[in-house]
Amino acid sequence: MNSEAAQEILQKYLKSQGKLRSTPARMAVLDAIVQTQGHFDAEGLYYRLISHGTRISKATVYNTLDLLQGCGLISKYRFAEHSSRYEKAFGRPH
């Protein structure tokens, strides 16, 4: 799946949820995930975004990950009490 198709899925989901908006920060998180291969964690994603000049908070990254999980674009895996990793739920199967 390309970035545009993933953005369309997210935008439809946000619209279906009511007052949630499609923001540049949310789209930046989604674009970074589309470009990611394999598993990733929220902290690593956050630091990758800010190192590329994206102005974003950790809270926005975590909240966007929850939204992306809710609309089926990513899957979340808990490996320890405070450790979660994510994976795209589209594209090549695990």
Side-chain angles (χ1 to χ4, degrees):
M1 177 179 301
N2 63 28
S3 184
E4 292 82 23
Q7 286 181 7
E8 185 175 322
I9 291 169
L10 177 57
Q11 289 171 350
K12 285 180 182 178
Y13 179 76
L14 293 172
K15 189 177 240 184
S16 75
Q17 297 301 301
K19 295 184 177 183
L20 298 176
R21 297 181 303 122
S22 173
T23 64
R26 287 178 176 154
M27 293 303 131
V29 171
L30 179 57
D31 288 342
I33 291 170
V34 168
Q35 297 172 17
T36 299
Q37 299 298 318
H39 295 100
F40 60 92
D41 64 5
E43 293 287 319
L45 181 62
Y46 168 74
Y47 288 113
R48 188 166 36 141
L49 286 161
I50 63 171
S51 72
H52 287 100
T54 304
R55 295 178 56 111
I56 195 166
S57 70
K58 282 186 185 180
T60 298
V61 171
Y62 280 96
N63 291 333
T64 302
L65 290 172
D66 288 342
L67 289 172
L68 294 174
Q69 185 181 1
C71 69
L73 288 171
I74 64 171
S75 298
K76 181 178 181 178
Y77 303 97
R78 293 200 62 118
F79 290 104
E81 185 176 333
H82 298 290
S83 177
S84 295
R85 302 207 28 103
Y86 301 86
E87 178 180 51
K88 293 184 281 191
F90 54 89
R92 209 173 70 176
H94 189 275

